[in-house]
Amino acid sequence: MDKLNRLNMIQGHILGNLSFPNDTSLSDYVQRGPSFNKTALHDFYYEIGLEYYKDLRPIFEQCPSLRHTNIFKLSKADKRKLIIEQLTEMKPKLNFDRKSHADNSLRGFVFGRLLFSFDMAFCVRLGVHSTLYIDSILSLGTEKHIPMLDKAFSLQEIGCFAMTELGHGSNVSGIATTATFIPETREFEINTPNSLATKWWIGAAGQTAVKSTVFAQLYVGGKNKGVHAFVVDIREKDTHNVKNGIIIGDCGGKFELDGIDNGFIIFKNYRVPYDSLLDGISQIDDKGHFISQIAKKEKRLGRMLSSLIRGRTSVTSASEANLKNALTIGIRWAAIRKQFGPPGKPEVPILDYQLTRNRLLPHLANLFAINAACEITFLQYDPIKNLMTADPECNEGVEFHAVLSAFKVLTSDWCFAGIHECRKICGGIGYSSHSRLGELLAKHDVNMTWEGDNYVLLQQTSAFIVKQIQKSLGGKKVSLKTLQMIETDFATVKKQKPCKDWLEIPELVKSFKILFNFILHKAMVKLQDNAGKAGTLFDAWNLSQPALQNLGRIFGIIIISERLVVKTESLKGKCAVLYDLISKMTKLFLVDKMLAYVPEMLANEYFNRNHLNELEGMFTGLCGELGESSARIIDAIAEEDFMFGSCIGRKDGQAYQHLANEIESQPDCYQAAPWIDVLKKLITP
Amino acid sequence: MDKLNRLNMIQGHILGNLSFPNDTSLSDYVQRGPSFNKTALHDFYYEIGLEYYKDLRPIFEQCPSLRHTNIFKLSKADKRKLIIEQLTEMKPKLNFDRKSHADNSLRGFVFGRLLFSFDMAFCVRLGVHSTLYIDSILSLGTEKHIPMLDKAFSLQEIGCFAMTELGHGSNVSGIATTATFIPETREFEINTPNSLATKWWIGAAGQTAVKSTVFAQLYVGGKNKGVHAFVVDIREKDTHNVKNGIIIGDCGGKFELDGIDNGFIIFKNYRVPYDSLLDGISQIDDKGHFISQIAKKEKRLGRMLSSLIRGRTSVTSASEANLKNALTIGIRWAAIRKQFGPPGKPEVPILDYQLTRNRLLPHLANLFAINAACEITFLQYDPIKNLMTADPECNEGVEFHAVLSAFKVLTSDWCFAGIHECRKICGGIGYSSHSRLGELLAKHDVNMTWEGDNYVLLQQTSAFIVKQIQKSLGGKKVSLKTLQMIETDFATVKKQKPCKDWLEIPELVKSFKILFNFILHKAMVKLQDNAGKAGTLFDAWNLSQPALQNLGRIFGIIIISERLVVKTESLKGKCAVLYDLISKMTKLFLVDKMLAYVPEMLANEYFNRNHLNELEGMFTGLCGELGESSARIIDAIAEEDFMFGSCIGRKDGQAYQHLANEIESQPDCYQAAPWIDVLKKLITP
């Protein structure tokens, strides 16, 4: 027991009515299972950008305002104030500038993951400015916008990103805000033509930002030129008053994340100078003629939206952080919490139960998979962004978009399910705000909606795949790396059978590729059938969604699996125990995901009854074995206590004492109801 | 458009910056699909206790304090105060007395469902007193406790129910609070021997209750006599001060339900008179000898816990109410919200998309199933309670416990999934507090944990089934109605094949019974295998949970299906359109549930590939057809707007205008940040 912990204990004894003897349950559990070096596992897990984790973590520790005690009790205004205070404290340590941002995305990605690990609201509050606002100028603006960027990097001017409208979220091309070019003054007049066109949910617009990137339908000479982006002032720099010609209001309470000041913006004949146009793609010449380097409206929009890529990757990072925090809490609590036991014997930790392990371990395997998805993103982002800068329509860019979309969907879905399982594992205490699991669940929830609704995004991934298969059926070779697994001849696919070693990792990945082709074939047949029935491609596409959504999911799973295989193999010959452990984790991921698709495997006669039994047996066996090591694994990869802030998930394992200390330190813990008079009225006969 | 609506519209135009033309999207959608009489569907859905719905609904309307506007913004203290005010307003209309409570449970069940429909916190706040506290005295006390009951029914004395401890939730027999009999004074001394034994999460203990039923280990003459229940004073009636010898504190913030004052209770040598013992089962005679009508400790505990039955049924009712409210919001919003559309045509309501229908309609089918589960409970409660009063160990009672446990688990799980799908369907607006979907999700979440953790309860159902099959294998006939489907000869089961009409309702139910036997067989084999491997029954049981949990689930699904079939058939010959509609709903429920168990059906060669295809086709077809009618169905069964209080789910379909009115009427909507000075510090270079 370290000094701080001992101090906490003593404090508990002095202050409160609740005190507990030192609890060794968690430290005992951390010793269970095959012994491995925890630092080695840490360095393996945080492999990509390891040096940045080591650099950046101390920043968080050095900012005393970055602590969680009872922040869930703050009012909306106080949550927002706290975030601004935290940002102010962190600012001198940020080293945030244009050059480092452009040169090396990895440090930024690592910093983002750490920010998410601390608090999603805090991270998004900063991310709206540093990712959405800044990236929109970087990718859509030109030389003349650089001074604006410098003020943004130094946090002198905080910006927001006004794309979404009350009436349009997913369908960006349908936004209705207009920007009309006024040739006489070379200005644009920005208007909100009706209330549905009100910019809505704009993070940081509510009370903070002085600048905004605004997406609007550009009109030149009375003609619509499609969606374009403008950077405009929305508040006076000195007084912070909202500019004339703009109305800004607060979007109200949310399920969570009230620390982000989401606002709505209405423009009324708001005039902005020509240079407001982010003119990297389109310009208006001196004669008032519209010029664009991309001829088609839809392609221009695609190019605009590509500036959102970094935002989308942030959901994968958030999922890693949120799920890791939830599992840290859930697994540690399950090692401490005892309930029932063999007749006549002491109660056992609930983590001893096979059922608990079956419930928790697939989510731990998902965490390693989400981590792998982050790594793929971090490794590929810079090279592909460079290719896209040279050629916005390059194959690699299109492919990357499809991959990131699938990752965003899979990881946010997995994370939600995992947090909820941890909430339930922690029972009533999991429902307490002091566990922070409810807060994590509610904060994470929006990840399934923003940065592209999950069901809509999955359609973009499947559209990408279908387009490639159509090319391939047309005789062209599929050159993209991620789609080499496509087999257009279904008879060949049908002939495949699992080999003797089908439960080994490489064979499981192979089976997933066969599954991909089963689903692909099914989706193509559905598309064809429905095209015949429905008459329009729009309807055929919508009717075929059940198969198409699965296609996108399996595509993502395969890409993640391949990274997991590479990572796992990198341990071979280094540390036998760790290699064995991580192999099991990778296998559990594959087995768990395969179980969801068993119907297709059985229906296509690829699997038989024995395969199902073996798969289920393998699942339970792996959960059992990895469950034994789970507290030690968490110990190796969890963030520090102050980062996730749950009193029941702390490293020292004194969950009950920390919970009691927090509960008893509430000012109203032992107070009578302030509404006692109302109560007396009720009980008066 | 009715008058009130028109008034709202005008108000919107006058007050705010946001105004919208009248929106006919929802009223148009309500006209779609085959036309049926909405009142007929309403009366069909609320069939059991229809007269009570009609009697009780006006009570809610007549209490002006029962409204939802922005209550999510209140502090913990103000939420609690509001509930007490609401109770005070409702009290004169309650007609709550001992006779009606005992004679007719149906009115109480209906009232509970309506209370849940209004607000779970409000309902539970009252339910802890009226169900847990009162029922514990009614079922465990004797004649002498009647005066106490009368004060409880008149709300003069509010009581709570102290069973759970910080260290023991699921394992009630492990609670550690002691009640030691003092022969000299014929008193009991109640003690909390250590902090883990602190009574925890006790609803209404925090600040309200003056009485509590306390569960404690009874010690007589130094010997433990097992868990017994005592009714004790916890606060002074006049001053409302906590009694000497007791410490009460507040359990702190929760994921939701802060309107319930959950408290913790510590007893320090707290003396209570002999009559505190609820002595229906056990007594201590004048010589200080312990006497009990039930010899075994465990059986006594079982009898105690049976007083919890009504509480468990309340989770099924809460699930009906919460899911119905969520679907009311989700389906209406999906009918109003337009996004994307065929090329060159106007955008279409998202409810038009097959994918939206596939996502929403299974939950609507679940709602009808949950309603059926409520009906089974309501119809069987009184007769079975009477049988149990005569013979606490009667077969019907044991069976009812198994059925209610399965219902509790299934319905709370379905409801959570359904609310979350509605949240996602409503996108960003679903994440707004003003939609109330986040609040519904967070409030409902605890239903999976309290009144018996779902994973623990399912074990009780499967233990019941396994015990019966063991009797049956021992040659005894299974007499219980719910288990007539057991087929001990697996060869007979294996021979069955789906008939030509296998997708008709009766055949689907039959297939479910075959599935039940597949799983039963699998579970028994697992149990046997694991018993060999594990050595102890405790371990074998835990290792076999994956199959056993499914067994309990399918058992519940079959019982619900049979009620659905009876209900559906009752429409035959009455109204062809409604009969057809409800038949499809029942079929969708069966098809959707069957899809989850396709692996077993394929692996046992009961289904083949064609069956899977037909099942999937049927699923999509039914979702499509029922989706067309879904807005009309909701219109028939939804509660009034003021009951669920979501501005985007109102009957008039003016979602955007109501949302805008709520947002703009926030006092801080157009205010500058009160923390502007902190912000200025941040942006200073």
Side-chain angles (χ1 to χ4, degrees):
Chain A
M1 200 162 48
D2 64 12
K3 269 185 201 165
L4 190 70
N5 182 17
R6 202 185 303 269
L7 206 71
N8 277 339
M9 294 295 107
I10 293 168
Q11 201 180 26
H13 286 276
I14 296 170
L15 273 181
N17 292 300
L18 298 160
S19 71
F20 302 80
N22 185 47
D23 188 343
T24 64
S25 317
L26 180 58
S27 51
D28 292 346
Y29 229 110
V30 168
Q31 299 308 321
R32 284 166 66 165
S35 183
F36 59 84
N37 183 311
K38 285 192 280 182
T39 307
L41 178 56
H42 172 276
D43 292 355
F44 168 79
Y45 187 88
Y46 295 102
E47 185 186 354
I48 308 302
L50 184 60
E51 65 278 23
Y52 298 120
Y53 288 102
K54 290 184 176 170
D55 276 4
L56 292 166
R57 279 196 181 117
I59 293 184
F60 290 80
E61 212 156 349
Q62 288 155 13
C63 294
S65 67
L66 300 185
R67 299 298 180 268
H68 283 286
T69 319
N70 291 2
I71 58 158
F72 52 84
K73 288 192 179 169
L74 298 181
S75 68
K76 188 171 77 172
D78 283 341
K79 281 183 183 166
R80 293 176 182 182
K81 183 181 166 194
L82 176 62
I83 287 183
I84 299 296
E85 286 169 342
Q86 290 168 332
L87 271 174
T88 309
E89 190 173 19
M90 195 179 251
K91 182 181 163 186
K93 305 176 202 289
L94 282 179
N95 297 324
F96 188 41
D97 62 64
R98 197 154 44 88
K99 198 174 149 20
S100 68
H101 187 79
D103 286 357
N104 180 354
S105 65
L106 185 52
R107 185 176 182 274
F109 281 131
V110 169
F111 186 52
R113 252 175 70 158
L114 289 172
L115 284 163
F116 278 126
S117 296
F118 170 65
D119 180 44
M120 220 177 101
F122 180 57
C123 182
V124 171
R125 196 63 183 64
L126 181 60
V128 160
H129 171 76
S130 67
T131 304
L132 296 181
Y133 171 68
I134 286 182
D135 275 12
S136 66
I137 303 176
L138 271 174
S139 70
L140 304 177
T142 51
E143 200 78 0
K144 66 185 173 190
H145 298 108
I146 289 182
M148 213 175 263
L149 280 171
D150 288 332
K151 280 188 188 154
F153 277 106
S154 64
L155 291 187
Q156 276 177 271
E157 287 182 354
I158 293 185
C160 60
F161 183 85
M163 176 183 275
T164 299
E165 296 177 357
L166 180 53
H168 285 94
S170 295
N171 185 11
V172 180
S173 71
I175 61 167
T177 301
T178 57
T180 308
F181 180 65
I182 313 289
E184 293 74 20
T185 55
R186 284 190 69 77
E187 288 178 306
F188 298 99
E189 187 175 286
I190 303 185
N191 266 299
T192 302
N194 57 60
S195 288
L196 274 181
T198 304
K199 292 293 173 187
W200 202 267
W201 289 134
I202 311 308
Q207 295 172 303
T208 323
V210 293
K211 289 276 191 183
S212 180
T213 303
V214 177
F215 289 80
Q217 302 285 353
L218 171 62
Y219 281 87
V220 182
K223 282 194 184 139
N224 182 314
K225 300 296 177 183
V227 175
H228 282 76
F230 304 81
V231 183
V232 310
D233 293 327
I234 57 171
R235 283 190 171 85
E236 305 285 354
K237 256 158 243 173
D238 301 331
T239 61
H240 222 76
N241 290 337
V242 175
K243 283 272 193 183
N244 283 332
I246 297 185
I247 294 165
I248 294 183
D250 189 285
C251 287
K254 283 161 283 181
F255 188 16
E256 251 293 349
L257 300 173
D258 281 335
I260 306 169
D261 55 322
N262 294 93
F264 59 86
I265 313 177
I266 300 169
F267 296 96
K268 297 201 163 180
N269 307 322
Y270 186 62
R271 292 280 182 107
V272 297
Y274 176 77
D275 285 351
S276 297
L277 174 68
L278 292 174
D279 58 346
I281 303 170
S282 311
Q283 306 84 31
I284 299 170
D285 69 12
D286 291 345
K287 291 177 190 145
H289 293 140
F290 175 80
I291 309 157
S292 184
Q293 281 65 62
I294 304 174
K296 282 192 188 164
K297 262 190 218 175
E298 309 79 58
K299 290 222 166 168
R300 277 206 291 274
L301 182 63
R303 173 75 179 81
M304 308 267 169
L305 296 181
S306 72
S307 69
L308 277 176
I309 272 196
R310 204 195 298 247
R312 192 158 297 152
T313 67
S314 74
V315 171
T316 304
S317 288
S319 300
E320 190 277 339
N322 290 334
L323 181 56
K324 187 171 61 197
N325 285 346
L327 285 166
T328 301
I329 302 164
I331 290 177
R332 284 183 174 161
W333 176 257
I336 294 163
R337 176 71 170 181
K338 298 185 176 81
Q339 204 79 177
F340 298 107
K345 299 220 172 132
E347 290 185 304
V348 299
I350 58 172
L351 188 51
D352 278 5
Y353 292 101
Q354 181 69 45
L355 185 57
T356 306
R357 294 182 178 186
N358 282 16
R359 289 168 63 191
L360 280 175
L361 270 295
H363 298 290
L364 189 58
N366 281 348
L367 178 64
F368 278 80
I370 297 173
N371 188 45
C374 287
E375 291 183 346
I376 295 169
T377 311
F378 297 177
L379 291 169
Q380 297 191 359
Y381 184 84
D382 282 343
I384 293 182
K385 217 189 86 190
N386 291 339
L387 289 174
M388 287 172 75
T389 308
D391 171 13
E393 293 168 56
C394 66
N395 276 338
E396 290 82 356
V398 177
E399 184 182 32
F400 198 45
H401 175 74
V403 170
L404 292 184
S405 298
F407 284 1
K408 191 264 179 189
V409 175
L410 290 170
T411 62
S412 59
D413 282 359
W414 292 339
C415 178
F416 185 88
I419 299 172
H420 194 225
E421 201 60 58
C422 291
R423 202 298 290 155
K424 291 188 285 182
I425 286 282
C426 295
I429 301 296
Y431 197 73
S432 164
S433 300
H434 297 271
S435 77
R436 286 200 65 223
L437 286 166
E439 183 192 334
L440 274 175
L441 190 76
K443 281 183 172 165
H444 177 74
D445 189 24
V446 77
N447 279 319
M448 282 174 256
T449 293
W450 68 14
E451 296 295 341
D453 173 88
N454 278 7
Y455 290 86
V456 174
L457 271 193
L458 221 41
Q459 296 192 42
Q460 301 193 2
T461 302
S462 44
F464 158 79
I465 300 166
V466 168
K467 209 175 261 179
Q468 296 299 319
I469 185 88
Q470 278 166 339
K471 274 190 200 168
S472 153
L473 289 170
K476 282 190 195 164
K477 213 183 149 240
V478 178
S479 60
L480 295 169
K481 238 176 84 182
T482 56
L483 290 176
Q484 291 306 310
M485 60 198 168
I486 287 183
E487 176 57 73
T488 47
D489 178 23
F490 194 60
T492 312
V493 182
K494 286 286 285 181
K495 261 186 247 154
Q496 311 253 18
K497 290 284 162 215
C499 70
K500 202 167 59 71
D501 294 333
W502 73 281
L503 275 168
E504 294 305 314
I505 292 170
E507 294 301 320
L508 283 167
V509 175
K510 216 165 115 187
S511 290
F512 255 110
K513 292 181 179 177
I514 290 164
L515 173 64
F516 177 84
N517 281 299
F518 285 152
I519 303 277
L520 180 63
H521 179 76
K522 188 168 180 168
M524 296 309 287
V525 169
K526 283 266 174 235
L527 268 174
Q528 225 158 9
D529 280 4
N530 287 328
K533 270 187 243 164
T536 77
L537 195 66
F538 179 78
D539 287 336
W541 181 256
N542 289 320
L543 284 168
S544 310
Q545 278 310 307
L548 286 166
Q549 296 265 320
N550 273 336
L551 191 64
R553 284 184 185 276
I554 296 166
F555 172 75
I557 290 170
I558 292 173
I559 296 170
I560 291 173
S561 303
E562 290 185 327
R563 171 80 199 157
L564 285 172
V565 172
V566 171
K567 256 184 102 67
T568 307
E569 287 310 300
S570 75
L571 286 167
K572 205 169 185 173
K574 281 191 196 153
C575 168
V577 179
L578 215 50
Y579 176 63
D580 183 58
L581 188 85
I582 296 300
S583 297
K584 281 176 181 147
M585 196 65 84
T586 299
K587 196 183 276 191
L588 176 56
F589 172 76
L590 288 162
V591 166
D592 177 51
K593 296 297 160 288
M594 186 64 82
L595 277 167
Y597 295 102
V598 160
E600 288 302 327
M601 297 304 240
L602 285 165
N604 284 290
E605 287 168 18
Y606 181 79
F607 281 172
N608 59 32
R609 179 180 182 76
N610 291 336
H611 292 108
L612 175 61
N613 281 341
E614 286 175 45
L615 205 61
E616 287 177 340
M618 181 57 81
F619 175 80
T620 294
L622 288 169
C623 289
E625 285 185 67
L626 289 169
E628 197 69 5
S629 298
S630 57
R632 190 171 180 85
I633 295 171
I634 281 297
D635 223 44
I637 62 172
E639 293 297 334
E640 292 297 318
D641 292 349
F642 80 90
M643 287 286 278
F644 60 85
S646 165
C647 60
I648 66 163
R650 295 199 197 158
K651 195 180 174 74
D652 67 9
Q654 311 306 311
Y656 288 108
Q657 189 63 62
H658 294 305
L659 174 68
N661 292 354
E662 268 198 27
I663 296 281
E664 289 199 86
S665 66
Q666 305 170 99
D668 65 346
C669 179
Y670 292 114
Q671 263 177 18
W675 32 266
I676 192 83
D677 292 340
V678 186
L679 179 61
K680 283 186 176 159
K681 208 173 140 191
L682 169 68
I683 59 180
T684 306
Chain B
M1 201 163 45
D2 64 12
K3 268 186 202 166
L4 191 69
N5 182 17
R6 202 185 303 269
L7 207 69
N8 278 339
M9 293 296 107
I10 292 167
Q11 204 180 24
H13 286 277
I14 295 168
L15 273 181
N17 293 300
L18 299 160
S19 72
F20 301 80
N22 185 49
D23 189 344
T24 63
S25 317
L26 180 58
S27 52
D28 292 346
Y29 229 110
V30 168
Q31 299 309 320
R32 284 166 66 166
S35 182
F36 59 84
N37 182 313
K38 286 191 281 181
T39 307
L41 178 57
H42 172 277
D43 292 356
F44 168 79
Y45 186 87
Y46 294 102
E47 185 186 355
I48 308 302
L50 184 61
E51 64 278 25
Y52 297 121
Y53 288 102
K54 290 184 176 168
D55 275 4
L56 292 166
R57 279 197 179 116
I59 293 184
F60 290 80
E61 210 155 350
Q62 287 154 15
C63 295
S65 67
L66 300 185
R67 299 298 181 269
H68 283 286
T69 318
N70 290 2
I71 58 159
F72 52 85
K73 289 193 181 169
L74 298 180
S75 69
K76 188 170 79 171
D78 283 341
K79 280 182 183 166
R80 292 176 182 181
K81 183 181 166 196
L82 175 62
I83 286 182
I84 299 295
E85 286 169 341
Q86 289 167 333
L87 271 173
T88 309
E89 190 173 20
M90 194 180 251
K91 182 179 162 185
K93 304 176 203 289
L94 281 178
N95 297 323
F96 187 42
D97 62 65
R98 195 153 46 87
K99 198 173 151 21
S100 69
H101 186 79
D103 286 358
N104 180 353
S105 64
L106 186 53
R107 185 176 181 275
F109 281 130
V110 169
F111 187 51
R113 250 175 71 157
L114 289 172
L115 284 164
F116 278 126
S117 296
F118 170 65
D119 179 45
M120 221 177 101
F122 180 57
C123 181
V124 171
R125 196 63 184 65
L126 182 60
V128 160
H129 171 77
S130 67
T131 304
L132 296 180
Y133 172 68
I134 286 182
D135 275 13
S136 67
I137 304 176
L138 271 174
S139 70
L140 303 176
T142 51
E143 201 77 3
K144 66 185 173 190
H145 298 107
I146 288 181
M148 211 176 266
L149 280 172
D150 288 333
K151 281 188 188 153
F153 277 107
S154 64
L155 293 188
Q156 277 177 271
E157 288 183 354
I158 293 184
C160 61
F161 183 85
M163 176 183 275
T164 299
E165 296 177 355
L166 180 53
H168 285 94
S170 295
N171 184 10
V172 179
S173 70
I175 61 166
T177 301
T178 58
T180 309
F181 180 65
I182 313 290
E184 294 74 21
T185 54
R186 286 191 68 77
E187 288 177 306
F188 298 99
E189 187 175 284
I190 303 185
N191 267 300
T192 303
N194 56 60
S195 289
L196 273 182
T198 304
K199 292 293 176 189
W200 203 266
W201 288 135
I202 312 307
Q207 295 172 304
T208 324
V210 294
K211 290 276 192 184
S212 179
T213 303
V214 177
F215 288 81
Q217 303 284 353
L218 172 62
Y219 282 86
V220 182
K223 281 190 185 145
N224 181 315
K225 301 296 179 186
V227 176
H228 282 75
F230 303 81
V231 183
V232 311
D233 293 327
I234 56 171
R235 282 190 172 85
E236 305 285 353
K237 256 159 245 173
D238 301 332
T239 61
H240 222 77
N241 290 339
V242 174
K243 283 271 192 183
N244 282 333
I246 297 184
I247 294 165
I248 294 183
D250 190 285
C251 288
K254 283 161 284 179
F255 188 17
E256 251 293 348
L257 300 173
D258 282 334
I260 306 170
D261 55 322
N262 293 94
F264 61 86
I265 313 178
I266 300 168
F267 296 96
K268 297 201 163 183
N269 307 324
Y270 186 63
R271 292 280 182 106
V272 298
Y274 176 78
D275 285 351
S276 298
L277 173 68
L278 291 175
D279 59 345
I281 303 170
S282 311
Q283 305 83 31
I284 299 169
D285 69 14
D286 291 345
K287 290 175 189 144
H289 293 141
F290 176 80
I291 310 156
S292 183
Q293 280 65 62
I294 304 175
K296 282 192 187 164
K297 261 190 219 176
E298 309 79 58
K299 290 223 167 168
R300 279 207 289 276
L301 181 63
R303 172 75 179 78
M304 308 269 169
L305 295 182
S306 71
S307 69
L308 277 177
I309 272 197
R310 205 195 298 247
R312 191 157 299 152
T313 65
S314 74
V315 171
T316 305
S317 287
S319 300
E320 190 276 339
N322 290 335
L323 182 56
K324 188 171 58 195
N325 285 346
L327 284 167
T328 300
I329 302 164
I331 290 177
R332 284 184 175 160
W333 175 259
I336 294 164
R337 175 72 171 182
K338 298 185 177 82
Q339 203 79 178
F340 296 108
K345 298 218 173 131
E347 290 186 303
V348 300
I350 58 173
L351 187 51
D352 278 5
Y353 291 101
Q354 182 69 45
L355 185 57
T356 306
R357 294 182 178 185
N358 282 17
R359 289 168 64 189
L360 281 174
L361 270 295
H363 299 290
L364 189 59
N366 280 348
L367 178 64
F368 278 80
I370 298 174
N371 189 45
C374 287
E375 291 183 346
I376 295 170
T377 311
F378 296 178
L379 290 169
Q380 297 191 359
Y381 184 83
D382 282 343
I384 293 182
K385 217 189 86 192
N386 291 339
L387 290 173
M388 286 172 76
T389 307
D391 171 14
E393 293 169 56
C394 66
N395 276 338
E396 290 82 355
V398 177
E399 185 181 32
F400 198 46
H401 175 73
V403 171
L404 291 185
S405 298
F407 284 2
K408 191 263 180 191
V409 175
L410 290 171
T411 61
S412 59
D413 282 358
W414 293 339
C415 178
F416 185 88
I419 300 173
H420 193 224
E421 200 58 60
C422 290
R423 202 298 289 156
K424 290 188 285 183
I425 286 282
C426 296
I429 301 296
Y431 197 73
S432 164
S433 300
H434 297 271
S435 76
R436 287 200 63 224
L437 286 166
E439 183 192 334
L440 273 175
L441 190 77
K443 281 183 172 166
H444 178 74
D445 189 24
V446 77
N447 279 318
M448 282 175 253
T449 292
W450 68 14
E451 297 294 343
D453 172 89
N454 278 8
Y455 290 86
V456 174
L457 272 192
L458 220 42
Q459 296 192 44
Q460 302 194 1
T461 302
S462 45
F464 158 79
I465 299 167
V466 168
K467 210 175 261 178
Q468 295 300 320
I469 185 87
Q470 279 166 338
K471 275 188 197 166
S472 154
L473 289 169
K476 283 189 196 165
K477 212 184 149 239
V478 177
S479 60
L480 294 170
K481 238 176 82 183
T482 56
L483 290 177
Q484 291 306 309
M485 59 196 168
I486 287 182
E487 176 57 74
T488 47
D489 179 22
F490 194 60
T492 311
V493 181
K494 286 286 285 180
K495 260 185 249 157
Q496 310 254 17
K497 290 285 162 215
C499 70
K500 202 168 59 75
D501 294 334
W502 73 282
L503 275 168
E504 294 304 314
I505 291 171
E507 294 302 319
L508 283 167
V509 175
K510 217 166 116 185
S511 290
F512 255 110
K513 291 181 179 176
I514 290 164
L515 173 65
F516 177 84
N517 281 298
F518 286 150
I519 304 277
L520 180 62
H521 179 77
K522 187 168 182 168
M524 297 307 288
V525 169
K526 283 267 172 232
L527 267 174
Q528 225 158 9
D529 280 4
N530 287 327
K533 269 187 247 167
T536 75
L537 196 66
F538 179 78
D539 287 336
W541 180 257
N542 289 319
L543 284 169
S544 311
Q545 279 310 308
L548 286 166
Q549 295 265 321
N550 274 336
L551 192 64
R553 284 183 186 276
I554 296 166
F555 172 75
I557 290 170
I558 291 172
I559 295 169
I560 291 173
S561 303
E562 289 183 329
R563 170 80 199 159
L564 285 173
V565 171
V566 170
K567 256 185 101 70
T568 307
E569 287 310 301
S570 75
L571 286 168
K572 205 170 186 174
K574 280 189 197 155
C575 167
V577 179
L578 215 50
Y579 176 63
D580 183 58
L581 187 85
I582 296 300
S583 298
K584 281 178 182 148
M585 196 66 83
T586 299
K587 194 183 276 191
L588 176 57
F589 172 76
L590 289 163
V591 166
D592 177 50
K593 297 296 160 288
M594 186 62 83
L595 277 167
Y597 294 101
V598 160
E600 288 303 326
M601 297 306 239
L602 284 165
N604 283 289
E605 288 168 18
Y606 181 80
F607 281 173
N608 59 34
R609 180 179 180 77
N610 290 336
H611 292 108
L612 175 61
N613 282 340
E614 286 175 44
L615 204 61
E616 288 178 340
M618 182 58 82
F619 174 80
T620 294
L622 287 169
C623 289
E625 284 184 68
L626 288 168
E628 196 70 6
S629 298
S630 57
R632 189 172 181 86
I633 295 171
I634 281 297
D635 222 45
I637 63 173
E639 294 297 335
E640 292 297 320
D641 291 347
F642 80 91
M643 288 286 278
F644 60 86
S646 165
C647 60
I648 66 162
R650 295 198 197 158
K651 197 181 174 73
D652 68 7
Q654 310 307 309
Y656 287 108
Q657 188 64 60
H658 295 306
L659 174 68
N661 292 353
E662 268 198 26
I663 296 281
E664 290 200 86
S665 66
Q666 303 170 100
D668 65 346
C669 179
Y670 293 113
Q671 264 176 17
W675 32 267
I676 193 82
D677 293 340
V678 186
L679 179 61
K680 283 186 177 162
K681 209 171 138 193
L682 169 68
I683 58 180
T684 306

